Amino acid sequence: MEFGCQEDMTFCGVFDGHGPWGHLVSKRVRKLMPPYLLCNWQETLALNSLDLKFEHTDRSLRQFDTWKQSYLKTFSAIDQDLEQHPVIDSFHSGSTALTMIRQGDLIVIANVGDSRAVLATVSDNGNLVPVQLTVDLKPNLPEEIERITQSKGRIFSSHDDEPGVYRVWDVVSNEEAVGIVSSTPGREESAKRLVDHAACAWKRKRPGIAMDDISAICLFFHTSPPSQSVEPIKLP
C-alpha cells in the first residue's frame, strides 16, 4: 500500500507478540510503527538536506542512512511508549517487529526478534532460490546473550506462558517456503497456502506441542510471475 502519500513508497510489517501481554504489545507496536516511522523519516530527511557532506554521498546510501536513522529513533520512541504505558506490562512480554520499506528500487529491512524475511531470486542456472534477509534474533545466539546480559536481562524458558516455543521457521525451510509460494497458482492465495503448510508441518514434526500463532506476508515485486520456478512442494 502507498505510504506517506508517496506513490513509489510501500510499508509492511509482521508483529508477533510473546508472553502473557504479547497480543497487546504487538497491537501497540503495529499501531505506532507506521506514523512514528513516517514522522521520523520526514524529520531526518529535512535535517540531512541541510548537511552539505550528506548531499555529496551516493543517492542510495543517502536513502538507506536516512531510513536507518529514522528506524532507530522510531524503535527508541516505541520502547519508551511501552515502558510508560499505564495498562500494558511490557516487562514480561514483547513483540517481534519485522518491517520493510520499499522506496523505488530501494528495499530497507528492519528486524527485531525472530520473525524472518526471505527473498526469492533467480540463480545463474535460472531457478528461484531463497535468500534470507534477516537473522533470527534468538537468545541462543552469542550476540543476543551478550546484549541481554549487558541490559541486565535474564534468559530462561517458560513453557507455562508460551507453550508454543517452536516457530514457523523451525518446521518450514526457506527452500520450502519459496517452493510453496512460487507454485501457488493465485498470488492472493500464496500466504494462506504457506500458513496451511506450516500448520500441517507443525502437527507432524511437533506432536503434542501447542501450535504458535502463524503469520505470513507474501510480496511480489514483479507484475507477472517469472518463468523460472523451483520444484513444487506438496502439502501433506
Side-chain angles (χ1 to χ4, degrees):
M1 60 179 293
E2 188 177 292
F3 185 58
C5 299
Q6 304 288 321
E7 292 184 359
D8 69 335
M9 200 151 72
T10 304
F11 171 88
C12 72
V14 171
F15 309 95
D16 181 17
H18 55 267
W21 294 81
H23 60 296
L24 295 180
V25 176
S26 60
K27 287 181 180 178
R28 184 69 177 170
V29 176
R30 183 184 64 185
K31 178 182 178 180
L32 297 181
M33 178 69 75
Y36 277 29
L37 181 60
L38 182 60
C39 181
N40 283 318
W41 174 73
Q42 292 170 336
E43 290 180 356
T44 304
L45 194 65
L47 289 173
N48 288 342
S49 66
L50 302 176
D51 188 341
L52 296 179
K53 292 182 179 179
F54 193 78
E55 283 297 315
H56 286 85
T57 58
D58 179 77
R59 181 173 179 271
S60 295
L61 291 177
R62 290 202 310 268
Q63 286 181 305
F64 176 78
D65 192 62
T66 298
W67 282 115
K68 180 179 179 180
Q69 294 177 49
S70 304
Y71 264 114
L72 291 174
K73 294 176 184 176
T74 299
F75 283 131
S76 178
I78 294 177
D79 259 351
Q80 187 174 4
D81 175 272
L82 289 171
E83 184 178 347
Q84 298 175 352
H85 199 281
V87 176
I88 300 175
D89 176 14
S90 60
F91 185 80
H92 295 99
S93 303
S95 175
T96 70
L98 171 57
T99 64
M100 184 210 75
I101 285 286
R102 184 184 183 188
Q103 186 179 20
D105 294 331
L106 178 71
I107 294 178
V108 179
I109 303 288
N111 181 47
V112 174
D114 61 354
S115 295
R116 183 184 298 181
V118 176
L119 175 70
T121 187
V122 180
S123 66
D124 293 337
N125 60 8
N127 291 324
L128 283 177
V129 294
V131 177
Q132 186 170 324
L133 301 180
T134 56
V135 175
D136 299 346
L137 299 175
K138 295 178 179 288
N140 59 345
L141 294 178
E143 297 86 352
E144 275 297 280
I145 294 174
E146 182 180 359
R147 183 189 66 81
I148 293 170
T149 53
Q150 285 183 351
S151 301
K152 299 181 180 179
R154 294 182 299 164
I155 301 173
F156 58 92
S157 176
S158 175
H159 296 275
D160 295 330
D161 290 337
E162 196 175 14
V165 294
Y166 296 102
R167 305 299 181 189
V168 171
W169 296 108
D170 290 321
V171 294
V172 177
S173 69
N174 294 343
E175 290 77 12
E176 285 179 307
V178 169
I180 292 165
V181 173
S182 65
S183 62
T184 302
R187 288 182 168 184
E188 65 279 359
E189 296 295 323
S190 57
K192 182 180 184 302
R193 189 162 181 255
L194 178 57
V195 168
D196 289 344
H197 177 83
C200 291
W202 189 300
K203 293 176 182 178
R204 186 177 68 255
K205 297 180 180 181
R206 311 294 186 191
I209 298 178
M211 188 182 303
D212 194 13
D213 294 334
I214 300 176
S215 301
I217 295 177
C218 296
L219 299 177
F220 298 89
F221 300 123
H222 300 284
T223 55
S224 59
S227 58
Q228 299 89 347
S229 63
V230 295
E231 187 70 20
I233 304 297
K234 295 182 180 180
L235 293 175

